[in-house]
Amino acid sequence: MPLVHPLSADHDKQTAELAEFFNETLGFCPNSVLTMQIRPEIARSFINLNKAVMANHGRVTSALKRLIAWVSSNATGCRYCQAHAIRAAERYGASNEQLEHIWDYRTHPSFSEAERAALDFALAASVIPNQVNETIKKHLHEHWDEGEIVEMLGVISLFGYLNRWNDSMGTTLEEGAIESGEKHLAEGGWEVGKHQ
């Protein structure tokens, strides 16, 4: 049972219009946003930040941004965000091989060295204490420019907020997210947990 119950999707007209963004990314408006709209300015600001962070300005693809989100959420243990990130990665064209082998991105041949550098960065930046060091920095700069690194850290930071929000809230997982989690992550130990 969640800490606070979400409001209906049509509770706040401005939030509902902004939340149409999630119909593309997930196929539904997430319960996290429906809970945030108890204070509509939080929901609206979050949606606008999400849209800005997920916009593509370089070579960091929409699929890779969602895989970065998954690695970050996996590091923090947020099952809600893991399911959302893998669902969005699937919807944005991540290969089936990458979806099925996200657990072993460091060694699986479906991941390029550039992708490994990005995902290693996501992991190092998401743990406490932070593990971003000279090795991570060097590897990143071998494959990505500064603007692309900023985009990646935007995703990691956005999901840091979401991981705290959804794990503390015990946000109820939506059916579509559960399906994606079970399809791609259950073999690695993923389960709905407290997000029922």
Side-chain angles (χ1 to χ4, degrees), residues 21-92:
F21 165 76
F22 295 108
N23 291 333
E24 176 189 326
T25 60
L26 297 169
F28 53 83
C29 182
N31 284 328
S32 56
V33 172
L34 299 178
T35 305
M36 287 177 207
Q37 75 173 340
I38 291 170
R39 293 291 184 258
E41 60 279 2
I42 294 175
R44 290 183 214 131
S45 296
F46 167 75
I47 294 167
N48 282 320
L49 178 62
N50 195 315
K51 291 167 81 172
V53 165
M54 292 304 185
N56 299 319
H57 301 286
R59 295 172 297 138
V60 186
T61 65
S62 293
L64 180 56
K65 284 186 176 186
R66 275 58 183 201
L67 294 174
I68 288 168
W70 182 85
V71 168
S72 183
S73 298
N74 187 52
T76 66
C78 182
R79 305 230 184 244
Y80 182 91
C81 292
Q82 290 170 30
H84 278 227
I86 209 71
R87 179 174 179 82
E90 179 181 41
R91 291 174 66 91
Y92 277 99

Side-chain angles (χ1 to χ4, degrees), residues 35-157:
T35 305
M36 287 177 207
Q37 75 173 340
I38 291 170
R39 293 291 184 258
E41 60 279 2
I42 294 175
R44 290 183 214 131
S45 296
F46 167 75
I47 294 167
N48 282 320
L49 178 62
N50 195 315
K51 291 167 81 172
V53 165
M54 292 304 185
N56 299 319
H57 301 286
R59 295 172 297 138
V60 186
T61 65
S62 293
L64 180 56
K65 284 186 176 186
R66 275 58 183 201
L67 294 174
I68 288 168
W70 182 85
V71 168
S72 183
S73 298
N74 187 52
T76 66
C78 182
R79 305 230 184 244
Y80 182 91
C81 292
Q82 290 170 30
H84 278 227
I86 209 71
R87 179 174 179 82
E90 179 181 41
R91 291 174 66 91
Y92 277 99
S95 73
N96 279 332
E97 271 197 299
Q98 286 187 331
L99 294 168
E100 299 301 324
H101 296 280
I102 187 64
W103 300 99
D104 46 77
Y105 74 84
R106 285 185 170 144
T107 57
H108 197 273
S110 65
F111 293 91
S112 69
E113 281 306 309
E115 290 168 328
R116 286 188 182 102
L119 297 174
D120 281 345
F121 176 48
L123 179 59
S126 300
V127 296
I128 298 173
N130 188 291
Q131 299 293 308
V132 177
N133 57 28
E134 286 303 312
T135 302
I136 296 289
K137 180 180 173 182
K138 183 176 183 282
H139 199 203
L140 266 178
H141 282 280
E142 287 172 1
H143 300 282
W144 304 100
D145 68 33
E146 290 187 349
E148 292 162 339
I149 293 169
V150 166
E151 284 187 59
M152 290 176 207
L153 190 53
V155 174
I156 296 161
S157 299

